[in-house]
Amino acid sequence: MVDTALDSGFFVRWMAAAAGLVSREAERLTELDSAIGDADHGANMQRGFAAVVKALEAEPPGTPGAVLVAAGRQLISTVGGASGPLYGTLLRRAGKGLGDAPQVTVAELQAGLRAGLASVRELGGAAPGDKTMIDALEPAVAALDTSLDAAAEAADEGARGTVPMLARKGRASYLGERSIGHQDPGATSSALLFAALAEVAR
């Protein structure tokens, strides 16, 4: 676990790293989405995180919470479909939970993300096992107790674990049993968010 408190610069770097990973993996995200969704997840997420980086560069927020609130706001306004509101809710709620503190600990970040996760579950009505981003987010947030690397690994395992699942929520649920055998794109992009977090801390 990172011992030092995390400042706004760390959170800006996190969002930039997430944008980089999403950009590199955009084609894969779209391929996954083409099998069980609208085939636009990669492009949508790439556009959204590019807008986040641009906004943070133009007007860098002074606190970790403000970084996440600003990022969430940009994702809501620029990402189409369900992903924008869901990711935006995750980050905005987490940011509000961090308050105005100039620095936060990993434990405080975990508490903020727990609140964000609860809001996402309420908004989307999804639970673990429904083949959604929750399947990556829930184990990742829980694993922050151990380390940022553990959280990234848990998110990746969660995303890969969606392959044999039957989709019960979202566009993929319309496919019924045909959704089985495909990795959920939302869980995959959620894993990228935590991979970026671990990357920035190294």
Side-chain angles (χ1 to χ4, degrees):
M1 176 150 326
V2 178
D3 292 326
T4 56
L6 311 174
D7 61 12
S8 60
F10 177 91
F11 281 75
V12 169
R13 292 193 298 276
W14 176 21
M15 292 298 107
L21 283 179
V22 166
S23 182
R24 289 198 293 276
E25 295 291 326
E27 192 173 322
R28 177 171 172 250
L29 292 174
T30 292
E31 285 176 6
L32 293 174
D33 198 34
S34 68
I36 58 174
D38 294 327
D40 60 1
H41 189 62
N44 283 345
M45 294 298 292
Q46 187 173 20
R47 181 175 65 252
F49 273 96
V52 167
V53 170
K54 187 175 180 181
L56 295 178
E57 286 176 348
E59 196 171 337
T63 65
V67 172
L68 293 186
V69 169
R73 190 182 302 122
Q74 283 296 320
L75 292 175
I76 288 172
S77 63
T78 57
V79 177
S83 297
L86 291 169
Y87 271 101
T89 294
L90 173 71
L91 295 181
R92 285 182 68 185
R93 183 65 187 83
K96 287 177 182 177
L98 296 181
D100 297 325
Q103 295 182 324
V104 299
T105 64
V106 173
E108 288 167 336
L109 173 59
Q110 182 185 42
L113 287 170
R114 275 204 179 109
L117 174 61
S119 294
V120 169
R121 288 187 62 167
E122 184 178 350
L123 179 64
D130 284 344
K131 199 183 183 94
T132 71
M133 64 193 294
I134 299 297
D135 291 302
L137 290 176
E138 188 120 332
V141 172
L144 282 170
D145 276 349
T146 305
S147 70
L148 300 181
D149 282 328
E153 289 165 14
D156 185 57
E157 286 175 15
R160 287 187 279 110
T162 63
V163 174
M165 292 178 181
L166 174 72
R168 297 191 186 94
K169 293 290 178 181
R171 179 65 184 266
S173 65
Y174 303 158
L175 297 176
E177 291 194 357
R178 284 181 294 149
S179 66
I180 296 172
H182 300 284
Q183 185 165 317
D184 182 69
T188 305
S189 56
S190 295
L192 295 178
L193 186 65
F194 280 88
L197 178 61
E199 179 183 298
V200 171
R202 290 187 192 120

